[in-house]
Amino acid sequence: MLSLDPLGLYWDCPLGSKDLEEEEGPWGGGSGLPPQGYFPGSWRQDVGLDCRGSPEGAEARAWTVYYYSLLQSCLQQAGLPETQDRSQAPRTGRPGMEVTLCILGSPSTFLSVLLEGGVQSPGNMLLCLSPAWLMKMPAPGQPGEATLLVSKAVSFHPGGLTFLDDFVPPRRVTYFLAGLGPGPGRGWEAAELARNLTCPTGASAELARLLEDRLLTRRLLAQQGGVAVPATLAFTYTPPALLQGGDASPRLRLVELSGKEGQEALVKEEVGAFLHSEALGDAMQVAIKVSSWRWQGRQALRVHPRAEVGTVADTVLVLLEKLEEEESVLVEAVCPPVRLPFPGSPQPGPELAVRICAVVCRTQGDRPLLSKVVCAVGRADHPLRHQSSLPRTLEVALAQCGLGEAAQVAAVRRGVKTAAEAALAAVLALEAGLSAEQRGGRQAYTDFLGVDFMLTVAGGVLTPVALELNLGLCLEACGALERLWAAPRPGPMADEAAAAAPLVETMLRRSARSLMEGKQLLVVGGGGFSKKFVWQAARDYGLKLHLVESDPNHFASQLVQTFIHFDVTEHRRDEDNARLLAELVRARGLQLDGCFSYWDDCLVLTALLCQELGLPCSPPAAMRLAKQKSRTQLHLLCRQGPPWPSPSLHAVPCCPLENEADVERAVHLVPLPGVMKLEFGAGAVGVRLVEDAPQCHEHFSRIARDLQGEADHPGIGLGWGNAMLLMEFIEGTEHDVDLVLFGGRLLAAFVSDNGPTRLPGFTETAACMPTGLAPEQEAQLVQAAFRCCLGCGLLDGVFNVELKLTRAGPRLIEINPRMGGFYLRDWILELYGVDLLLAAAMVACGLQPALPAHPRARGHLGRTERRRRHLPLATSQPDSARLNRAGDCIYIHTCLTTDAPPLPHTQERRAMRLASSTRAAAVAEW
């Protein structure tokens, strides 16, 4: 039960204050010994906490033991097993080749991140219980920066399994997050370890000081984020540099004092004017506190009635004597609690207040995303603090205060979401203008934020007012709420994403960029202008690309480190060309980390070249098998297992066609109606539904006459010839499955739905992502695509598999042994934050892509079109009459949830308005 007993007046504080456990005054240095706490429970004490080569003193050792016991207590209370000590058998791993997410801090603060990391990246989420388990080494070629190595850590795995591991050699950290602060424990050492690292860092002492400066963050939130903050009067001798010269805020007044002597009259005048101003609204009390990093968690905040002007002024004068440069004393309005009529009868007991704690994370494209909301409920006349109140959901908290109407609760949630995301956006904008030195390193950025709100009424509307920002307490509160449903007792939150899920995805994304920065990759075939994103993304990721291309004037020739002009169109000589290209690479002294291609015509040549250079890739035989559609189907039809289900269940009967005699034979072997298409074709060119033998002969003759070589239709695979196949026509819904495989293991899969194709040419009409299928059907498609790839020998790479879902299960249309084309890469990046291009580059370098194990879509994307060509919407908005003409199209590419960003292109916004007019029903029908 939540205790509602009165608190001592000496250490009373405003609603929303949180850290009152220590004596008043700034930190004086020295970590001291850990608290003499008792952790109930039983676990082994004879574990190997010593780190070889880094002995600890008695005080440091005491902290290490304390944090290990705290970890075991947290695991036990969450219903998870005890940590297993396997430090006697050191892990070897793949030095410099693996993702390593490392946290140095309190297990209770970061447990939700650690458990989620164990799910999304098993064995790669590490908790260091001591700074001695880490070491910094100067980074070669990067003056002033250091590489962070971890020698010992607790590793996290699915199911909450944890292991105490030693690493020989030490693992190179690819992402570092430290619990920072001037208090006891490891705050100062963590700050020094986090400074100027080559790896991405989710926090630094420099950034934490900015976030803990309430004066700075309140002005930032009010002016840049448009977030409601308490009316505040601030006194300072020297304001923070980032506040100097800033614009005034109507709810925040800053008074600069010339010195510590003779300021009594000015202080009393300003306090009096503030307490009588309309800015305080209905507030009946004010709180006096110090805004300073040094005072974090060490102050007894004072709360006084608004009418006691003299007492407030005297309290301010006492605190001013203790200030240093860039510190300030704040007088702020205590937000009055929401007074709600309790349904049915008067509210029993004392009046309650609600404090809202929101965790918001940076996601793909540096966009803020609200992750989770947790609330605390307590007496309105006493403080609500972190770690001193029970966490609960927003719905439960509001219901306990008399607000249970769903629409009102939803409105409060929207207000919290908007304000929390605006807060992080303002912080990210601030950091973008700081130098690397001001941030604490080139790679130091804030990736998550805790925002504390008090729910109050402003202008007759329920309004969340931002009290302060923090880096760990809100995250810890969300984790505590998630642990209410321990493993043996799954509850209503079991299916919800963890508060730390977006943060861990960002950690993995930034790790991948760190691992790939500076990698040298050879790209075979530049492709068309539609692939221009490759070169833009490569520059963003810091990749160094070298290009092999037949066209000497290819637009990408000026965008790469090295351009090799080489004819790659003669595929009958791929083996010889691979050897010649390997000699050219060696002659130019290129030190390649990988080689890959995203262009259909060059996939087999790329595999052969990788084989010549000793670089990772799927075998050339597998690429050849997947490249030729009839060989793919016929091969899989013979793969009948074990294991079961076998790939043969998904293959479709077909016959290759090279001449008219083959056509005559095929019509007697393949049930009609059937589908005729090019063996090596792309983009549905030459695909046709045929219902009888005459149609088969007619279509074969037309293709043989009109599509004889690459010049007849560039980019659809005619460089491999114009052979065809006849396959059985399969009824069902059509889907794309984009897979990421590494070492024969499935790392990620993304399913999209395609609308009914326009027959007889199988022209695409619509598509959407994520899939609308039931989870079981989605899993069937993913496993079918995975088994078909393995059945062809495709073990490493990013592959696009087209299937139909029939009443008898998934059936294979074809395998494209490269990443999906058209919109698929952009959609997956937008919805899931996963870049298939970066994943393909990592696999090509022999690195396991850093991908979340179970990514969740944060929106919906869709497109629909009536013809292959698009309406020229950019010039004018067509009317309904033009829409009804044959040949026009409607094209939609939009996010359908509030979590998604706005449409990026004016053309697509115009298409949305267009689709909502006379043809809306036709668009929505599918």
Side-chain angles (χ1 to χ4, degrees):
M1 295 179 63
L2 177 66
S3 173
L4 300 179
D5 292 336
L7 302 175
L9 294 180
Y10 173 74
W11 51 297
D12 204 355
C13 58
L15 300 176
S17 176
K18 51 186 182 186
D19 298 314
L20 306 175
E21 287 76 10
E22 304 293 339
E23 65 271 17
E24 183 176 12
W27 289 108
S31 61
L33 292 171
Q36 297 298 312
Y38 171 70
F39 299 112
S42 175
W43 48 81
R44 290 185 57 183
Q45 304 294 328
D46 57 336
V47 292
L49 297 179
D50 293 325
C51 185
R52 296 181 180 91
S54 299
E56 292 182 300
E59 185 178 293
R61 169 73 178 181
W63 277 104
T64 302
V65 172
Y66 170 83
Y67 281 132
Y68 182 80
S69 297
L70 177 58
L71 172 62
Q72 301 314 307
S73 179
C74 290
L75 293 173
Q76 188 177 78
Q77 292 183 36
L80 300 173
E82 177 183 346
T83 299
Q84 299 298 306
D85 184 1
R86 57 183 189 185
S87 58
Q88 299 304 313
R91 311 288 106 181
T92 54
R94 304 172 65 208
M97 302 285 285
E98 54 196 348
V99 168
T100 302
L101 314 176
C102 184
I103 290 179
L104 174 63
S106 169
S108 61
T109 299
F110 293 107
L111 187 61
S112 62
V113 184
L114 295 163
L115 293 174
E116 180 65 19
V119 172
Q120 292 200 32
S121 189
N124 296 323
M125 175 61 79
L126 307 180
L127 170 65
C128 285
L129 301 175
S130 168
W133 295 5
L134 293 152
M135 56 182 170
K136 291 175 75 172
M137 301 291 290
Q142 295 173 285
E145 294 188 348
T147 300
L148 189 63
L149 304 175
V150 56
S151 300
K152 189 182 193 73
V154 177
S155 61
F156 284 73
H157 299 259
L161 296 178
T162 55
F163 300 93
L164 182 61
D165 289 324
D166 280 11
F167 304 104
V168 180
R171 288 180 66 161
R172 179 165 69 91
V173 176
T174 60
Y175 186 97
F176 185 56
L177 180 60
L180 302 166
R186 312 298 174 78
W188 287 332
E189 294 172 278
E192 183 54 39
L193 283 170
R195 186 171 290 113
N196 294 323
L197 294 177
T198 57
C199 70
T201 308
S204 68
E206 289 77 4
L207 294 178
R209 287 188 178 96
L210 296 179
L211 295 179
E212 288 290 342
D213 188 328
R214 291 185 178 89
L215 177 58
L216 172 63
T217 55
R218 285 193 179 170
R219 175 174 286 188
L220 182 69
L221 297 186
Q223 292 184 347
Q224 295 190 25
V227 179
V229 298
T232 304
L233 172 65
F235 296 93
T236 183
Y237 298 115
T238 305
L242 293 174
L243 279 176
Q244 296 175 10
D247 296 332
S249 172
R251 294 183 61 81
L252 193 154
R253 175 166 173 74
L254 175 61
V255 179
E256 296 185 38
L257 304 176
S258 57
K260 293 190 176 183
E261 302 296 333
Q263 304 298 321
E264 292 83 355
L266 176 60
V267 169
K268 290 181 179 179
E269 178 184 350
E270 290 287 348
V271 168
F274 177 71
L275 296 182
H276 290 96
S277 69
E278 295 181 357
L280 272 70
D282 297 331
M284 302 302 295
Q285 293 178 306
V286 293
I288 303 97
K289 62 179 69 173
V290 177
S291 175
S292 167
W293 171 257
R294 292 189 311 128
W295 286 63
Q296 180 191 9
R298 299 282 292 194
Q299 49 185 308
L301 309 182
R302 303 299 198 272
V303 177
H304 295 287
R306 178 178 176 179
E308 296 181 0
V309 178
T311 305
V312 173
D314 291 341
T315 304
V316 171
L317 290 168
V318 170
L319 292 176
L320 282 172
E321 296 179 359
K322 303 179 182 182
L323 292 193
E324 294 183 359
E325 287 191 0
E326 299 194 352
E327 297 179 345
S328 56
V329 175
L330 306 183
V331 182
E332 67 176 33
V334 175
C335 299
V338 179
R339 291 177 173 84
L340 299 170
F342 202 82
S345 61
Q347 182 175 349
E351 187 177 32
L352 299 179
V354 178
R355 181 184 177 117
I356 301 174
C357 174
V359 172
V360 58
C361 302
R362 177 205 300 260
T363 61
Q364 169 67 30
D366 293 339
R367 291 192 295 267
L369 175 68
L370 178 68
S371 175
K372 186 153 290 189
V373 176
V374 173
C375 296
V377 177
R379 289 179 58 151
D381 56 346
H382 288 288
L384 276 174
R385 300 177 295 148
H386 283 284
Q387 303 171 342
S388 296
S389 56
L390 295 178
R392 61 205 71 195
T393 63
L394 179 66
E395 290 74 13
V396 169
L398 293 180
Q400 289 175 330
C401 294
L403 185 65
E405 187 178 337
Q408 292 179 311
V409 174
V412 172
R413 183 176 289 277
R414 285 195 300 270
V416 171
K417 174 182 173 63
T418 299
E421 292 179 352
L424 180 56
V427 170
L428 298 182
L430 173 68
E431 293 179 2
L434 300 179
S435 66
E437 182 180 2
Q438 289 175 308
R439 295 196 311 273
R442 176 175 58 90
Q443 296 270 34
Y445 289 97
T446 298
D447 286 331
F448 75 101
L449 199 62
V451 188
D452 282 323
F453 297 97
M454 182 60 66
L455 189 62
T456 186
V457 176
V461 178
L462 287 173
T463 303
V465 176
L467 300 176
E468 54 198 5
L469 308 180
N470 63 76
L471 284 176
L473 290 168
C474 285
L475 189 65
E476 185 174 20
C478 290
L481 179 64
E482 291 168 359
R483 293 196 299 275
L484 287 178
W485 290 273
R489 302 186 304 277
M493 295 186 67
D495 294 330
E496 283 192 20
L503 173 59
V504 174
E505 291 174 14
T506 297
M507 296 166 78
L508 290 170
R509 189 179 307 114
R510 293 187 66 190
S511 288
R513 296 174 71 109
S514 176
L515 282 171
M516 291 300 292
E517 186 177 12
K519 294 293 186 186
Q520 308 270 349
L521 288 112
L522 184 66
V523 178
V524 182
F529 194 70
S530 64
K531 303 300 182 184
K532 65 180 181 179
F533 69 85
V534 171
W535 319 105
Q536 298 167 349
R539 182 174 62 251
D540 184 41
Y541 292 136
L543 304 178
K544 299 185 183 301
L545 297 188
H546 310 271
L547 175 62
V548 176
E549 169 58 40
S550 303
D551 180 5
N553 300 313
H554 194 279
F555 72 90
S557 62
Q558 305 301 314
L559 305 176
V560 293
Q561 304 290 315
T562 306
F563 180 72
I564 301 176
H565 176 222
F566 190 93
D567 185 7
V568 296
T569 61
E570 184 50 68
H571 300 295
R572 289 174 296 183
R573 302 187 69 250
D574 274 348
E575 289 82 356
D576 294 336
N577 287 340
R579 287 190 287 270
L580 291 173
L581 277 173
E583 292 174 6
L584 283 174
V585 167
R586 297 187 186 103
R588 296 200 179 204
L590 301 183
Q591 301 297 315
L592 299 177
D593 297 294
C595 172
F596 75 115
S597 179
Y598 46 80
W599 198 241
D600 277 302
D601 280 4
C602 300
L603 298 174
V604 174
L605 174 60
T606 301
L608 290 165
L609 179 56
C610 287
Q611 185 174 266
E612 289 287 335
L613 296 173
L615 296 173
C617 188
S618 287
M623 283 293 187
R624 283 196 179 95
L625 193 60
K627 178 63 182 168
Q628 188 170 355
K629 297 178 177 62
S630 64
R631 286 190 62 195
T632 303
Q633 299 283 5
L634 296 174
H635 174 79
L636 292 177
L637 281 170
C638 299
R639 297 295 302 271
Q640 299 183 0
W644 186 87
S646 66
S648 63
L649 293 175
H650 312 297
V652 178
C654 66
C655 282
L657 310 175
E658 295 187 1
N659 50 52
E660 291 286 354
D662 291 337
V663 177
E664 188 62 32
R665 179 174 57 90
V667 297
H668 297 289
L669 296 176
V670 176
L672 296 179
V675 180
M676 289 186 69
K677 55 185 174 181
L678 291 165
E679 279 276 25
F680 306 98
V685 177
V687 183
R688 189 171 185 84
L689 178 69
V690 288
E691 299 185 1
D692 52 34
Q695 287 187 5
C696 293
H697 285 284
E698 179 186 357
H699 188 58
F700 182 85
S701 298
R702 183 185 303 116
I703 295 300
R705 179 184 68 247
D706 297 339
L707 298 178
Q708 297 184 11
E710 184 70 13
D712 293 327
H713 202 308
I716 65 164
L718 291 174
W720 285 83
N722 65 348
M724 301 189 72
L725 75 151
L726 175 65
M727 64 185 297
E728 182 181 347
F729 175 68
I730 303 298
E731 293 279 4
T733 57
E734 188 174 326
H735 308 270
D736 278 58
V737 182
D738 288 271
L739 306 172
V740 181
L741 272 61
F742 186 78
R745 288 179 292 119
L746 178 64
L747 300 186
F750 307 94
V751 180
S752 57
D753 301 337
N754 298 326
T757 52
R758 289 172 59 88
L759 299 177
F762 291 93
T763 304
E764 181 178 304
T765 61
C768 70
M769 180 180 275
T771 178
L773 295 172
E776 180 180 340
Q777 293 174 310
E778 180 183 11
Q780 287 177 351
L781 285 170
V782 169
Q783 286 301 310
F786 181 38
R787 284 192 288 266
C788 288
C789 286
L790 292 183
C792 290
L794 298 173
L795 306 179
D796 296 278
V798 177
F799 309 116
N800 171 259
V801 183
E802 300 176 29
L803 303 110
K804 275 195 171 182
L805 184 60
T806 73
R807 287 179 292 179
R811 293 294 183 269
L812 176 66
I813 299 175
E814 62 189 44
I815 298 175
N816 300 304
R818 39 80 181 161
M819 72 176 179
F822 299 109
Y823 48 83
L824 287 171
R825 179 255 180 182
D826 292 340
W827 283 14
I828 292 168
L829 180 61
E830 182 71 27
L831 293 176
Y832 299 96
V834 173
D835 192 344
L836 294 184
L837 175 64
L838 184 60
M842 293 188 74
V843 173
C845 293
L847 300 175
Q848 178 172 323
L851 304 177
H854 306 288
R856 296 184 182 224
R858 298 194 174 91
H860 293 77
L861 286 168
R863 69 193 294 268
T864 179
E865 51 187 300
R866 292 296 304 268
R867 288 283 190 186
R868 291 186 59 82
R869 63 184 181 88
H870 289 171
L871 196 64
L873 299 176
T875 56
S876 63
Q877 183 171 343
D879 55 25
S880 57
R882 289 184 61 201
L883 273 176
N884 289 318
R885 294 187 198 144
D888 288 344
C889 75
I890 299 174
Y891 176 70
I892 299 177
H893 178 177
T894 180
C895 296
L896 304 177
T897 66
T898 56
D899 290 344
L903 292 175
H905 303 300
T906 303
Q907 175 172 326
E908 293 169 357
R909 292 194 192 99
R910 196 172 293 162
M912 279 299 297
R913 293 196 296 270
L914 174 65
S916 65
S917 61
T918 57
R919 298 300 296 275
V923 174
E925 182 180 358
W926 174 72

